[in-house]
Amino acid sequence: MLYWLVGSCWAEDFSPWLEEFQPSSLSQQQQIEELRWFKQAAQPYQGITIRAISERINTHWYEATVIAPLFYQLTGIKVIHEISGEDDVVKKLQSQMDLGINYYDIYVSDSDLIGGHFRSRNIVNLSQFMQHQGKDVTLPSLDIDDFIGLAFTTGPYGDLLQLPDQQFANLYWYRQDWFKRPELQQQFQTIYGYPLAVPVNWSAYEDIAEFFTEHVKEIDGQKVYGHMDYGKRDPSLGWRISDAWLSMAGMGDVGLPNGVPVDEWGIRRHGCRPVGASMRRGGALDSPAAIYAIQKYVDWLKRYAPPEAQKMTFSQAGAEIAKGHIAQQIFWYTAFTADLSQPDLAVTDKDGLPLWRVAPSPRGAYWQPGMKSGYQDVGAWTLVKSTPLKRQQAAWLYAQFNVAKTVSLRKTMVGLTPIRQSDVMSKPFSERSAELGGLVEFYQSNARNEWTPTGLNVPNYPALSSLWWQYIGRASDHGEAVPQIMKELAQSMDLALAKIGKDNPGPCSPKLISAQQASLWLAHPGSPKPKLENEKPPGKTLNYSELIKQWQP
Amino acid sequence: MATLKASCLSASLALSLPAQGVELVFNTYLDPPYVIQNQRGLAGVNIEVYELLKKHSKLDINIRLLPLKRAYLMALESPNNCVFAIERSQARESSFNWISPMYISRYAIYQPQQRITPLSSVADLQQLKIGSYLGSGIGEYLESLGVEVDLAKTNLNSAKKLQRQRTQAWASDILSSAYVHYHYSLGIQKQGFDFYSSLRAIACNKDSDAGALQKLQTSLNQLQKSGKISKILASYEQQYQVDLGL
């Protein structure tokens, strides 16, 4: 209450907000106009307390600790912005949708759930909301076309279901300072017959991993490893696998943002209807490419990563590369760029500039041009129909405040998870190129369109995603044979798809096609693909500057 | 509804049939007003939910009162044993089979009454030494935010530590804090700083009978949809004059 009283005394003085939200892509006068609009539009909702929840990354921490209190002071709408684990956010959202109890007024939900959202009819269609019930609380200067992640948050019929709030990608990460050392370059060339540089394919990644772990062993007196990953049987293991391993291996079909008709989960669809994940039903989850992907994941984790990595989770493994003993990581979440740019770390120089770089991740033997190249996470504001309308409207104001042009460039500079083209191309973001190790170049290129989230084929992410870690954990944590595990995983995925379709029938709900001999599907063009005679072609690397040129528009 | 089941139980479990003659043990712990021990035995929100579940599922479920840590270990180590009920979290996810959600718990930070500087965001919590209790998910959560947490044996003991100025704040489930206010005068703020919610769930041993757990989940879902569990919570909200915002 005290804060609001203070806020009302400011009247038309917007200086606290103008001071915090710098830089901005708007002029000061334009910022004042947006702030004034929020203040006026929020008047009918003053005194309301709304609850929002999002996963725990720097961007959302800034929202919860800086933006939410400022929004309250400006509008009188109090926000309890909770920060939690991603798995917890997913479970709460799913529980609210299933039970119809209003746990939260708005969620920042990964767009990975889009396939379930459009089928469930539990999510507010934002395109319609902005035209009707939410018309008076929709920011005139929202500029939807300026958002770079709309393809991931739009349903199959062209309606916007979620509004992007933050995006980060999975990119290859490596120690450029080590790769540049002449003695290491010479040693690598002698052993492997090609230059030590950014790996373009998995063969080169594997060679570099082996090189650092088994040949270099120590740098400056410290034990070093050529690879980092994690393997504990835990929900976060599922994301690691379904996010990127299978797509980079090339298991699915050509198509953006997701393979058609078989996506990177190995799920085949007919029209909008998922029809199976096992090869016997035209899927690819137990295909040679999938087995290749998971076998490489398991083998590299055991042979080239620090031994303790096998028992680590996502959050435990995240800090490992900051210790300065890892040479490369096949994919690394750019949401942690800010954390890895601190001047006191072993992976930055005396001026605080990164000794590491990010680049396109290497591709597996089954990958073909036109396929997605990696994973991009898009956290997006999501309204649930079970939330009362007035609370939806108040929450929608808060969501827009977090992405309004008044705020978004400043938020991008803090959390480094850009969502607007105007922010990505802005001078302040461009000027940080040297300190962000390739992140600026990635987002300013068209390549960012090849890094995509889970798509429309996955009809119920919470129900299906738990299968990944339970099965893959048996290979990583318990050492069971990969082909058998993938066979069982594919069968379980089929059964789960069938159950979802039976319990929630609809024109786009899953309906399994009849099982055939896998060999018949393998003879078809596209995914599932027959086993390659040679899954380890010659290693290929490219100089970093050459790779960056490929990214340039 | 079915999707909720599938998200809580593995696919193999969800496809199993309920077994006959299985005895489940709900290991619970004192956590007023969720579990209260009085002259007539056990009472409270969870006990009322337990009675509904037992009747609806027709399963043979017995309840056993233990300290939280032992209740947790029993569920970890013994088939057909569950801990009833704990906060479901990502860190605990792979350790149990979950029957979820029973309801959502709201948490707040309370300070002494004389304190007038309001907390404005979770960042402010990092300046405080905050009391919680052993086995509490909220203590684990605060620690993960970098907050200095002081763990007492029970939630009430944690409130008393604040009264004795051994901590600067007290983290508590809002309904539990309302219960403490109702029964004790400790000089603590009535209105706390809301900052977190958690799903309360039944955590069962991973080798428990799959059919029985499926039946339990189905019953819980149906009781949720019927509004009976919300009604129980609402009656406690009314009794202790607190709004959980549900």
Side-chain angles (χ1 to χ4, degrees):
Chain A
M1 192 60 196
L2 187 65
Y3 270 83
W4 173 239
L5 288 173
V6 173
S8 18
C9 295
W10 283 325
E12 289 294 292
D13 176 8
F14 294 108
S15 52
W17 294 272
L18 296 175
E19 202 173 295
E20 174 58 34
F21 298 130
Q22 294 301 330
S24 168
S25 57
L26 298 183
S27 67
Q28 183 169 304
Q29 186 54 40
Q30 288 170 318
Q31 280 188 294
I32 288 172
E33 282 168 21
E34 273 199 348
L35 290 166
R36 187 178 288 138
W37 180 88
F38 275 107
K39 190 171 180 175
Q40 287 171 352
Q43 279 179 357
Y45 311 96
Q46 281 182 8
I48 283 184
T49 297
I50 57 165
R51 280 185 189 266
I53 184 168
S54 57
E55 70 173 302
R56 197 165 158 183
I57 59 173
N58 290 339
T59 298
H60 297 313
W61 182 258
Y62 179 69
E63 290 169 349
T65 59
V66 176
I67 297 179
L70 283 171
F71 178 75
Y72 175 41
Q73 290 174 45
L74 180 71
T75 65
I77 299 171
K78 187 174 178 183
V79 184
I80 301 167
H81 187 140
E82 296 185 15
I83 303 286
S84 192
E86 178 58 21
D87 187 58
D88 186 52
V89 177
V90 168
K91 286 194 167 62
K92 285 170 174 169
L93 174 58
Q94 188 65 39
S95 298
Q96 177 159 342
M97 290 197 296
D98 286 339
L99 301 175
I101 300 171
N102 193 44
Y103 292 152
Y104 293 88
D105 300 301
I106 197 160
Y107 292 78
V108 182
S109 158
D110 275 1
S111 72
D112 296 318
L113 279 71
I114 189 84
H117 287 343
F118 94 82
R119 290 179 176 92
S120 77
R121 297 178 289 275
N122 285 321
I123 293 296
V124 173
N125 179 323
L126 293 179
S127 295
Q128 291 176 13
F129 182 76
M130 286 188 281
Q131 286 176 10
H132 302 291
Q133 303 99 317
K135 191 177 178 185
D136 293 341
V137 285
T138 296
L139 179 65
S141 54
L142 185 58
D143 193 5
I144 286 286
D145 293 338
D146 191 37
F147 286 81
I148 60 175
L150 294 181
F152 314 132
T153 58
T154 301
Y157 306 119
D159 288 325
L160 187 71
L161 301 181
Q162 304 171 270
L163 183 67
D165 179 72
Q166 50 82 7
Q167 286 185 222
F168 56 88
N170 268 337
L171 298 174
Y172 173 72
W173 181 98
Y174 76 105
R175 286 292 297 270
Q176 193 187 45
D177 57 330
W178 292 358
F179 278 42
K180 275 185 172 175
R181 289 192 180 197
E183 75 278 14
L184 294 180
Q185 286 187 335
Q186 190 178 0
Q187 192 183 357
F188 186 87
Q189 179 82 42
T190 302
I191 298 172
Y192 297 99
Y194 59 94
L196 173 61
V198 179
V200 174
N201 58 14
W202 282 16
S203 303
Y205 184 87
E206 188 172 49
D207 288 346
I208 295 168
E210 179 188 78
F211 174 67
F212 279 99
T213 303
E214 295 183 1
H215 296 281
V216 177
K217 293 180 184 172
E218 276 191 10
I219 291 180
D220 303 333
Q222 184 187 20
K223 170 73 182 153
V224 300
Y225 296 91
H227 174 61
M228 183 60 205
D229 217 321
Y230 60 88
K232 187 179 176 185
R233 199 167 165 177
D234 168 270
S236 63
L237 175 61
W239 311 328
R240 185 76 183 160
I241 301 300
S242 63
D243 280 358
W245 275 99
L246 300 171
S247 62
M248 292 192 319
M251 178 197 64
D253 274 315
V254 168
L256 289 172
N258 306 91
V260 179
V262 178
D263 69 0
E264 73 278 13
W265 279 51
I267 296 175
R268 173 176 289 271
R269 68 179 159 101
H270 287 167
C272 62
R273 202 187 275 286
V275 296
S278 67
M279 284 199 294
R280 282 163 56 81
R281 291 187 166 86
L285 198 46
D286 51 353
S287 68
I291 292 166
Y292 159 79
I294 303 304
Q295 193 66 60
K296 289 293 181 192
Y297 156 73
V298 171
D299 291 347
W300 295 349
L301 177 65
K302 283 183 184 164
R303 293 176 61 184
Y304 305 130
E308 57 272 23
Q310 287 184 44
K311 295 291 180 189
M312 284 184 179
T313 64
F314 169 77
S315 48
Q316 292 164 330
E320 279 297 294
I321 58 175
K323 293 178 183 171
H325 63 316
I326 305 294
Q328 59 169 359
Q329 189 163 10
I330 189 163
F331 57 88
W332 170 75
Y333 294 84
T334 63
F336 305 125
T337 304
D339 288 337
L340 227 60
S341 305
Q342 302 302 318
D344 56 340
L345 294 178
V347 292
T348 52
D349 69 12
K350 57 182 171 44
D351 299 318
L353 296 175
L355 298 169
W356 50 267
R357 293 290 182 274
V358 287
S361 290
R363 289 143 181 178
Y366 292 85
W367 190 89
Q368 294 166 348
M371 295 178 66
K372 66 184 284 184
S373 296
Y375 173 80
Q376 181 150 215
D377 181 299
V378 180
W381 294 101
T382 310
L383 289 168
V384 184
K385 284 183 180 171
S386 58
T387 299
L389 178 60
K390 193 169 182 183
R391 304 186 69 80
Q392 284 178 358
Q393 291 164 330
W396 179 237
L397 282 170
Y398 177 61
Q400 292 174 100
F401 190 72
N402 278 280
V403 300
K405 286 181 180 173
T406 291
V407 174
S408 72
L409 181 52
R410 168 64 177 155
K411 194 173 83 172
T412 297
M413 299 296 271
V414 173
L416 302 172
T417 55
I419 48 161
R420 283 187 178 273
Q421 178 75 1
S422 55
D423 295 337
V424 163
M425 302 310 290
S426 69
K427 194 176 169 201
F429 189 62
S430 304
E431 284 173 348
R432 291 185 67 182
S433 168
E435 60 179 286
L436 299 181
L439 183 78
V440 171
E441 289 78 0
F442 172 74
Y443 273 105
Q444 291 186 342
S445 75
N446 292 329
R448 67 172 188 240
N449 299 317
E450 294 173 27
W451 272 255
T452 69
T454 294
L456 297 165
N457 284 16
V458 177
N460 187 323
Y461 188 92
L464 298 177
S465 62
S466 60
L467 295 176
W468 286 100
W469 65 267
Q470 295 187 38
Y471 281 92
I472 303 297
R474 286 168 47 191
S476 62
D477 207 12
H478 294 191
E480 294 181 44
V482 172
Q484 180 61 28
I485 285 169
M486 297 310 284
K487 188 178 172 187
E488 291 178 30
L489 172 58
Q491 286 171 349
S492 290
M493 194 73 79
D494 278 354
L495 290 170
L497 286 170
K499 187 160 183 10
I500 292 164
K502 188 180 168 199
D503 293 341
N504 300 286
C508 291
S509 61
K511 193 174 183 180
L512 296 188
I513 54 175
S514 49
Q516 301 187 64
Q517 289 294 320
S519 56
L520 292 173
W521 280 107
L522 286 168
H524 276 239
S527 183
K529 302 165 188 174
K531 186 171 169 61
L532 292 171
E533 282 186 20
N534 179 16
E535 289 180 336
K536 191 172 182 188
K540 191 178 171 192
T541 54
L542 260 183
N543 187 290
Y544 180 73
S545 58
E546 289 299 313
L547 272 169
I548 288 295
K549 275 184 201 165
Q550 289 182 7
W551 271 357
Q552 286 167 356
Chain B
M1 188 57 55
T3 57
L4 180 67
K5 276 189 287 186
S7 68
C8 299
L9 306 172
S10 70
S12 58
L13 191 157
L15 293 163
S16 305
L17 293 170
Q20 299 297 317
V22 176
E23 182 196 340
L24 292 177
V25 180
F26 281 6
N27 298 286
T28 194
Y29 54 98
L30 288 178
D31 183 18
Y34 295 102
V35 180
I36 304 163
Q37 193 169 31
N38 59 29
Q39 290 169 335
R40 284 173 292 171
L42 295 178
V45 177
N46 290 1
I47 303 303
E48 290 187 40
V49 174
Y50 156 73
E51 283 162 359
L52 277 180
L53 267 175
K54 186 171 179 170
K55 190 175 171 189
H56 188 278
S57 68
K58 296 187 174 65
L59 286 165
D60 182 6
I61 313 172
N62 291 306
I63 202 154
R64 181 164 53 192
L65 189 68
L66 295 170
L68 171 56
K69 196 174 175 186
R70 268 195 71 202
Y72 192 93
L73 284 174
M74 286 300 290
L76 261 185
E77 293 167 0
S78 309
N80 298 327
N81 273 252
C82 308
V83 52
F84 179 81
I86 58 170
E87 296 101 331
R88 187 172 187 173
S89 71
Q90 196 165 309
R92 292 169 168 176
E93 184 66 25
S94 60
S95 302
F96 299 102
N97 275 330
W98 293 88
I99 311 301
S100 166
M102 276 176 62
Y103 46 79
I104 201 159
S105 277
R106 306 294 200 193
Y107 295 89
I109 300 291
Y110 300 88
Q111 295 174 284
Q113 269 169 2
Q114 68 272 21
R115 180 102 186 173
I116 54 164
T117 310
L119 298 166
S120 67
S121 83
V122 284
D124 296 341
L125 306 186
Q126 291 170 330
Q127 315 301 320
L128 302 171
K129 181 180 178 183
I130 301 177
S132 180
Y133 63 98
L134 285 166
S136 154
I138 205 62
E140 291 171 16
Y141 175 78
L142 285 168
E143 279 175 347
S144 75
L145 294 183
V147 173
E148 187 186 352
V149 178
D150 182 290
L151 295 175
K153 277 189 177 173
T154 65
N155 198 33
L156 178 60
N157 286 349
S158 184
K160 287 178 177 172
K161 276 190 171 183
L162 176 63
Q163 183 197 26
R164 293 169 194 149
Q165 298 183 334
R166 289 169 63 186
T167 57
Q168 295 163 298
W170 168 44
S172 174
D173 169 281
I174 289 174
L175 191 56
S176 303
S177 74
Y179 177 90
V180 170
H181 278 294
Y182 189 84
H183 292 279
Y184 305 89
S185 293
L186 299 178
I188 297 172
Q189 290 176 334
K190 268 194 169 177
Q191 183 65 44
F193 168 71
D194 285 24
F195 74 107
Y196 190 65
S197 309
S198 80
L199 292 177
R200 287 284 190 115
I202 308 167
C204 296
N205 181 274
K206 289 168 77 171
D207 295 322
S208 299
D209 183 86
L213 296 194
Q214 185 191 349
K215 205 168 182 182
L216 198 57
Q217 181 68 62
T218 303
S219 284
L220 181 63
N221 292 347
Q222 289 175 3
L223 290 170
Q224 290 277 18
K225 285 230 152 184
S226 71
K228 288 181 179 171
I229 292 178
S230 298
K231 204 172 162 188
I232 292 172
L233 270 178
S235 73
Y236 281 83
E237 280 183 272
Q238 196 176 11
Q239 182 180 351
Y240 293 107
Q241 297 172 0
V242 66
D243 180 8
L244 299 176
L246 292 169

